[in-house]
Amino acid sequence: MHQSEQKVNNFSITREDVRGALNRAVQATTSNQAALCKFKSYLNNPPQRGQGCHSGIMSGANLGVIAGLQPEQIFAEIRAVLGEKTPDKEIQEAIEKAAREYTGTAKIYQFPKKKPLVQDGKTALQKIINAGKFDNDADLWEASPKRLFDDPAKDAVLFLQTMFDPDDLIFIGDGQDSGIVGMNILPAAEWVDAFQKGRRTKPYLIINPLDGVEQLTKSGKPSFRCDANVQVFKYSMAEFDDLSHSDQIRFWSGVKLEIKALVDTGGKSIHAWLEVSKLAAVSTADEWDSQIRERLYKRVLTPLGVDSTCSNQSRLSRLPGHFRAEKKKMQKILWLSNEGQKL
């Protein structure tokens, strides 16, 4: 055997093999160091929303993967410099795509979840209830910044005029109804006119104005009234399923949230309409997911006991002024303001 060769497990290894392996290791280390320097530079000058942010996130993910960083570290570094408006999911998907393309692995990483801002929901809930200013309908009604009608049958007109612009496209109907522009999706001003002429409708309305264009639901079905149809993100809606009526009033009159309206559903719940613009800057579905669904609901309201299913932008709420026959009660306004404010 030539002196430049060694036998290892029946395989021949030459000096050239060793030299090549060392060169490749040095090149890989140099590449990692260069990528790490570029990644640090990227963090010092991160992409901004509206300026190629998605491609910018992808660039950062690629650099982090090439630098040999752990996915959890890449996520934490990018998350810290982009701020809350960028959804976690967008960053995570970019890292997973970068890993697939660079390493060939299809592994889905388990990224750390954000902890709720409210750590002890029951204690925090009781503290807010104890701080409530009111505990009954009459006192809440009297405290309403917007003067309410004695006859709740007139509430639909007052509610629509206060909550929406005249040309906002509003769905009013039942939970199972398809949205049909010109029938149950009309400008708010046309609904007002219809109610003033005595028209009766079904009991629900969607909390945000729609675009009037056919879109696809998350399951791929065409619709005129799904989340993708929301044109303006004005309101989010919250309710409790298992809190007494008086404790709900205490909660909403004690919590530090910007409330536009409180509506008695004619059942056991009160629907609180929260003004989104007073909570966060939301103009896209992604921003809704990061600011409202994730930050407000999952991290604050849900730990307090608010129904977690209320967090979508095309949520149905009870229409004030509608008589709920099965309960023999009116759906009515309890408190109303021209702008979102703390009670």
Side-chain angles (χ1 to χ4, degrees):
M1 180 180 294
H2 192 276
Q3 63 178 3
S4 66
E5 296 180 344
Q6 296 182 27
K7 273 282 190 177
V8 179
N9 295 331
N10 296 323
F11 289 95
S12 295
I13 300 176
T14 67
R15 289 178 179 175
E16 287 72 20
D17 292 333
V18 174
R19 189 178 296 113
L22 288 172
N23 286 337
R24 287 192 294 274
V26 170
Q27 290 172 359
T29 301
T30 303
S31 175
N32 287 355
Q33 289 176 341
L36 183 58
C37 288
K38 290 181 179 179
F39 183 68
K40 290 180 178 178
S41 177
Y42 163 89
L43 295 175
N44 289 328
N45 187 27
Q48 301 298 316
R49 276 279 162 192
Q51 299 177 0
C53 185
H54 181 75
S55 60
I57 294 171
M58 197 68 238
S59 297
N62 283 325
L63 290 170
V65 169
I66 295 171
L69 301 177
Q70 292 297 311
E72 294 83 0
Q73 182 182 353
I74 302 171
F75 171 80
E77 297 277 14
I78 295 177
R79 166 81 285 163
V81 298
L82 290 185
E84 293 288 347
K85 286 188 178 181
T86 301
D88 290 350
K89 186 177 180 182
E90 187 174 352
I91 302 172
Q92 292 168 358
E93 289 177 347
I95 296 170
E96 288 172 349
K97 183 179 180 182
R100 282 197 304 273
E101 293 178 351
Y102 187 72
T103 67
T105 179
K107 181 179 178 181
I108 304 299
Y109 296 108
Q110 296 298 317
F111 292 95
K113 294 182 178 180
K114 289 185 176 180
K115 294 181 180 180
L117 294 175
V118 176
Q119 297 295 318
D120 185 347
K122 289 184 178 179
T123 300
L125 173 64
Q126 192 58 55
K127 184 176 180 180
I128 295 170
I129 289 173
N130 292 343
K133 299 176 182 178
F134 310 107
D135 63 3
N136 62 78
D137 290 0
D139 289 343
L140 188 62
W141 191 90
E142 287 289 347
S144 175
K146 191 87 172 180
R147 189 60 187 167
L148 305 178
F149 292 115
D150 292 325
D151 180 5
K154 300 177 180 179
D155 279 1
V157 169
L158 176 63
F159 190 79
L160 291 170
Q161 289 176 330
T162 303
M163 302 294 285
F164 300 106
D165 294 331
D167 57 351
D168 283 342
L169 282 179
I170 308 300
F171 168 87
I172 296 179
D174 210 342
Q176 304 304 316
D177 291 347
S178 298
I180 303 174
V181 178
M183 292 187 64
N184 56 16
I185 299 177
L186 295 170
E190 292 189 24
W191 281 120
V192 167
D193 183 62
F195 285 126
Q196 287 175 333
K197 293 178 179 177
R199 177 176 173 179
R200 294 185 178 182
T201 65
K202 293 178 181 178
Y204 295 99
L205 79 163
I206 287 178
I207 60 175
N208 284 305
L210 306 176
D211 59 9
V213 179
E214 186 177 76
Q215 305 284 0
L216 295 179
T217 66
K218 291 180 179 179
S219 61
K221 297 180 180 180
S223 175
F224 285 90
R225 47 153 292 190
C226 66
D227 283 349
N229 288 114
V230 170
Q231 184 173 45
V232 185
F233 300 88
K234 289 190 173 185
Y235 306 110
S236 60
M237 194 275 285
E239 69 169 321
F240 289 91
D241 279 336
D242 55 2
L243 208 60
S244 70
H245 189 85
S246 59
D247 275 353
Q248 289 179 64
I249 293 176
R250 291 188 185 97
F251 177 88
W252 293 118
S253 64
V255 72
K256 304 299 184 182
L257 286 173
E258 308 288 346
I259 301 170
K260 185 76 179 275
L262 294 173
V263 176
D264 186 330
T265 65
K268 61 181 182 179
S269 295
I270 293 172
H271 284 183
W273 289 58
L274 309 178
E275 189 163 10
V276 167
S277 64
K278 296 292 185 72
L279 301 169
V282 177
S283 59
T284 68
D286 282 346
E287 289 173 351
W288 177 279
D289 285 342
S290 65
Q291 296 297 307
I292 304 303
R293 194 188 299 271
E294 290 289 333
R295 192 175 182 186
L296 175 63
Y297 282 84
K298 287 188 177 181
R299 299 181 68 194
V300 178
L301 293 181
T302 300
L304 288 171
V306 168
D307 185 352
S308 61
T309 64
C310 293
S311 63
N312 66 307
Q313 57 266 46
S314 64
R315 185 70 182 173
L316 290 169
S317 183
R318 291 279 176 176
L319 174 69
H322 180 88
F323 180 70
R324 193 169 176 178
E326 77 277 17
K327 299 288 186 179
K328 295 183 173 56
K329 292 182 179 179
M330 292 291 295
Q331 298 171 182
K332 59 185 181 181
I333 305 170
L334 293 177
W335 188 93
L336 184 65
S337 176
N338 285 320
E339 63 176 358
Q341 63 184 71
K342 301 176 181 68
L343 269 66

